[in-house]
Amino acid sequence: MKEKLYTIELHDALVSGDECPFCYLERDLEQKAIEFVLGSSYMESDTRDQTDRQGFCRHHTKMMYDYGNSLGNAWILKTRMQHMREEMAKEMASFKAEPAQSVFGRLMKKDGAAAEGTSVGRWIRSEESHCYVCGRVDETYRRVIDTFLHQVRHERDFLDLVKQSKGFCIHHFADLLDACAQGLDKKEQDMVFPVLFEQMNRELSRIQEDIDWLIEKYDYLNKDKDWKNSRDAVQRTMQKLVGGHPADPVFKNQK
Ligand SMILES: [Zn+2]
Ligand SMILES: [Zn+2]
């Protein structure tokens, strides 16, 4: 089956005026995933089986708390806790304080970094490396990136649309560049990289001007001058640097 393309969603994100179309889409995917997991799906055994095994990262745990639904959260937590207790009991029964690797392995530390620490410590860290919500979001996000590449290849005007947008946050820019390098041929890369680089330089300097001016505005000499685009420069600069929407209100269950 052909993978679904997110052309409409990507188009809407690019014209949304957001500082990053991928942040814009990620917010939507994240909220839908939280709604799904705390909707009725938590009573379905296959979903719960997955949440038991994958757990939730700290960021999404906080989102689930804020969203509400104590009973739903309690059911999810109850069996995730059971799962963790069972697994941890096994890990503790075979506890090793020494790193798994040999002395030779430790000399080769750079490659073996993940094997550092005690056996239980390593198991805990591996449990922290996956999250049910992150997993759901990432799956679609990857397809959105694929859609971007598809559009570069097949839509003549697509890059113009990209040029007119506000660029990307630095976090998502990394994924985009890597995907372009992997998925586009040399000719396509020669076309797309200069466009992306020029745009990022331009948009980052725009943000720099906004945040610089916000500071200047606090000088009493400038108190009667116009704010220009600086009023919300803090949250937009935060987003540009690390991604996300720091000024968003808490996402709550509206029902
Ligand atoms: Zn972003
Ligand atoms: Zn997560």
Side-chain angles (χ1 to χ4, degrees):
M1 199 181 80
K2 213 165 162 270
E3 295 267 8
K4 176 177 164 27
L5 287 173
Y6 287 80
T7 43
I8 295 165
E9 291 87 344
L10 183 59
H11 177 275
D12 291 351
L14 281 165
V15 299
S16 68
D18 200 288
E19 288 293 346
C20 171
F22 298 122
C23 285
Y24 181 88
L25 286 161
E26 187 182 63
R27 170 167 61 193
D28 185 52
L29 295 172
E30 199 174 36
Q31 292 182 349
K32 282 187 178 136
I34 295 284
E35 271 171 347
F36 174 79
V37 82
L38 284 168
S40 54
S41 77
Y42 64 85
M43 292 313 283
E44 281 160 27
S45 62
D46 57 334
T47 307
R48 274 278 284 300
D49 196 48
Q50 288 181 50
T51 61
D52 288 352
R53 281 185 287 105
Q54 292 176 35
F56 300 90
C57 68
R58 189 184 293 194
H59 167 66
H60 288 129
T61 299
K62 167 76 175 137
M63 269 190 90
M64 286 164 72
Y65 179 84
D66 287 338
Y67 181 76
N69 188 357
S70 294
L71 182 61
N73 270 304
W75 271 112
I76 293 164
L77 292 166
K78 172 190 159 83
T79 50
R80 169 68 176 161
M81 182 57 91
Q82 281 169 350
H83 172 83
M84 287 298 273
R85 286 175 54 226
E86 277 166 28
E87 294 297 311
M88 193 184 285
K90 284 186 227 160
E91 292 293 330
M92 287 192 291
S94 59
F95 178 70
K96 287 184 192 67
E98 280 293 299
Q101 288 194 324
S102 61
V103 176
F104 178 73
R106 259 176 283 158
L107 290 174
M108 309 268 294
K109 214 166 157 189
K110 273 181 190 146
D111 297 318
E116 292 279 299
T118 65
S119 60
V120 176
R122 287 197 306 277
W123 170 76
I124 291 171
R125 282 189 287 276
S126 79
E127 279 299 313
E128 287 175 339
S129 71
H130 43 74
C131 160
Y132 179 74
V133 175
C134 283
R136 280 185 79 95
V137 171
D138 282 352
E139 207 183 299
T140 311
Y141 169 61
R142 265 174 239 282
R143 278 188 230 139
V144 170
I145 296 260
D146 287 345
T147 305
F148 189 100
L149 267 56
H150 178 273
Q151 295 299 83
V152 167
R153 260 187 245 116
H154 302 289
E155 277 296 321
R156 222 165 7 106
D157 302 332
F158 181 71
L159 279 181
D160 291 330
L161 193 67
V162 174
K163 279 186 214 166
Q164 286 157 27
S165 76
K166 292 185 173 168
F168 310 89
C169 73
I170 291 176
H171 171 77
H172 286 130
F173 192 52
D175 296 339
L176 180 61
L177 293 180
D178 292 356
C180 288
Q182 264 191 338
L184 298 177
D185 65 28
K186 177 80 175 70
K187 208 173 129 229
E188 291 158 345
Q189 288 183 26
D190 287 346
M191 177 179 70
V192 79
F193 282 134
V195 170
L196 294 179
F197 291 162
E198 199 206 310
Q199 180 184 39
M200 272 305 263
N201 285 328
R202 186 179 67 234
E203 299 302 323
L204 292 180
S205 77
R206 168 180 60 81
I207 288 277
Q208 184 79 61
E209 278 172 34
D210 292 348
I211 198 81
D212 289 356
W213 181 244
L214 185 140
I215 293 168
E216 293 298 314
K217 258 297 280 175
Y218 278 84
D219 189 326
Y220 79 102
L221 291 173
N222 293 326
K223 73 176 171 32
D224 296 325
K225 289 194 183 146
D226 189 69
W227 276 92
K228 301 183 200 168
N229 288 320
S230 289
R231 275 188 199 279
D232 59 351
V234 167
Q235 56 262 43
R236 287 187 295 105
T237 309
M238 285 175 169
Q239 179 184 2
K240 228 33 172 188
L241 284 168
V242 299
H245 299 95
D248 269 3
V250 164
F251 179 60
K252 275 186 194 299
N253 186 1
Q254 301 298 330
K255 282 169 209 153

